[in-house]
Every structure is written in structure tokens, then in C-alpha cells.
Amino acid sequence: MLPIDVAAHGSRWRRRHPGEKAVLGFGLTVCAVSLPPWPGAALVAVVAVVVLLGPAGVAPRQLWRAWRVPLGFCVTGVVPLLFQVGGPAGWVAPAPGGAERAGELLLRSSAASLGVLLFAFTTPVSDVLPRLVRAGVPAPVVDVALVMYRIGFLLLDAVARIRQAQAARLGTASRAAAWRSAAGLGATAFVRAFDRAARLQSGLAGRGYDGTLRVLVPPARLDRRFLAATAVLLAVLVAAALGLERVV
């Protein structure tokens, strides 16, 4: 399993209804996108980090390891805003106001990613997908998502085993050997993906698959106090962001 899935299954909020955590996590994401970048998105990022490290019980190292990937995409995404191509200033020149727009976009995107991580760190995928059918999502779509989620972990495990076997056979001793090992890894993973899919189809057919995967959903009820606290938190966050914007 991926570290974020392990953290979600062991989270303090594991037994809470996914809807509660969705309201909080995606509510923070909406605030990060809709409020002014400064100080709105900055406040959202601070609140999300405090909730993650505090009530949610996420370890700082786990949070950083998960956040650094979307943060890297956010940083690389704002770099083009710093430059303009063509024009009287030359072929490539600093864009007027580019640093300000890049900073605003970086604040928005990084804070929004923290809101999504709040939901991901506290809610396993296995708790969310079965409930989507009740929310109106077609059952075949949910079944495909469940199967792909399972196959993804199987392939990751297979890739890890192949890489371990290659390393034991000095497959990474030199640059040429590393390239050959990478090519062999890709080819073997491709073949095993089709093999896993065929075996999964045979297994489902042997168990009388009729188009719907029936799984047990852990019982959970919506906590009105949690939802009320979330609403108060988001309202205070919006009011503080708008108020500080006028002062600044």
C-alpha cells in the first residue's frame, strides 16, 4: 500500500463518515480557490496544516512526503508566468507583473492541494467508492474504479519485486545495465498487467459476477456537531480573509 493509504486506514478519523471529511477538506479547497490569494489562500494553508497535524493526527514527515509531489507541480506550473516570449523586450524577457501572478497562483494551488490531502489522509478509497453508488454514480463506473484501484496496488507490488530481483542480479551496477533493467521492467510490467486482468476476469466469472461488485461498507453516521464545527470554521475563515484583505 502507498504511505498515504496506510495513514488513511490508521487515521484518528477513520471511523467518521466520509461526507464529514469531504465537507471539511473540499470546503477548504473551495475557499483556497475562491478567496483572495493573500491572505485568503495563506490562511487556508495554515488551517489545513493545523487540522492535519492536530485533530487528524498526521505525522509531519508523512504530510511533507505527500505534499511535496503536488507542491512540485505547483512550482513548475507557475514558472511560465514569470516570462514572456517575444515583444519589444526581446525573445524571452521577464513578464510584467509575472512574479505577483505566479505568487498568487502558487498560494492558491498549494493551499488547495492541502485541502485535498486532508480528505485523502483521513479517508480510505475503500470507504468512498462503495458509497458513490448511493450518491447516484452508476454502479459499473464504481466497479471499474474498484478494480483499477486493486490492480494498481498489485502492479506496484510486482514492480517492486522485479526491481528487487534486478538489483540482486547487479542489474543496476552500471548505467548500461540500469537502462537494460528499466526496459525489462517496463516490458515485464506490461505483460503482467494483461495477465492480472485476465486472471481477475476469470476469477469474477467463476464467482458468478453479474455486473455489480457487492462489498461491505463500514457503518457510519453523519455527526451534526462535526458538520456544524466545520461550517463555523469555514465561515470564520472566510470572514477573516475578507477582513484582513481590507486592512492590507
Side-chain angles (χ1 to χ4, degrees):
M1 297 179 66
L2 297 177
I4 194 169
D5 292 280
V6 176
H9 281 278
S11 172
R12 297 175 184 174
W13 291 353
R14 170 71 169 80
R15 300 301 176 185
R16 288 194 172 276
H17 195 284
E20 301 172 4
K21 295 171 283 188
V23 171
L24 177 58
F26 296 123
L28 290 174
T29 301
V30 171
C31 289
V33 174
S34 58
L35 290 176
W38 179 262
L43 289 175
V44 171
V46 172
V47 171
V49 170
V50 170
V51 173
L52 280 163
L53 300 181
V58 179
R61 185 177 181 181
Q62 288 179 323
L63 176 58
W64 168 245
R65 291 183 63 183
W67 189 41
R68 64 185 181 184
V69 176
L71 183 61
F73 281 102
C74 296
V75 172
T76 56
V78 303
V79 170
L81 296 178
L82 300 174
F83 305 96
Q84 66 177 4
V85 179
W91 185 65
V92 178
E100 181 180 358
R101 291 195 297 270
E104 292 177 353
L105 180 58
L106 181 61
L107 277 175
R108 286 186 187 275
S109 55
S110 57
S113 64
L114 283 171
V116 176
L117 284 177
L118 174 59
F119 180 76
F121 264 112
T122 57
T123 311
V125 177
S126 57
D127 288 354
V128 178
L129 291 179
R131 288 184 169 90
L132 294 179
V133 178
R134 302 177 184 177
V137 179
V141 175
V142 177
D143 291 346
V144 171
L146 282 170
V147 172
M148 295 303 299
Y149 179 71
R150 173 62 177 166
I151 289 180
F153 284 110
L154 292 175
L155 289 179
L156 286 176
D157 179 69
V159 169
R161 291 174 181 271
I162 295 171
R163 292 184 63 182
Q164 184 178 7
Q166 290 177 341
R169 293 170 174 81
L170 302 180
T172 58
S174 63
R175 181 175 299 180
W179 280 108
R180 288 194 299 268
S181 297
L185 174 63
T188 305
F190 182 78
V191 173
R192 289 198 178 186
F194 279 91
D195 179 64
R196 291 281 188 178
R199 291 166 60 185
L200 180 61
Q201 182 179 5
S202 300
L204 291 175
R207 291 168 175 81
Y209 177 66
D210 59 354
T212 302
L213 292 174
R214 295 173 179 84
V215 297
L216 294 176
V217 180
R221 294 183 178 180
L222 288 172
D223 188 350
R224 295 183 179 179
R225 293 177 298 178
F226 187 91
L227 294 175
T230 300
V232 171
L233 175 63
L234 296 178
V236 171
L237 183 60
V238 172
L242 297 179
L244 289 175
E245 183 192 17
R246 296 175 182 176
V247 174
V248 175

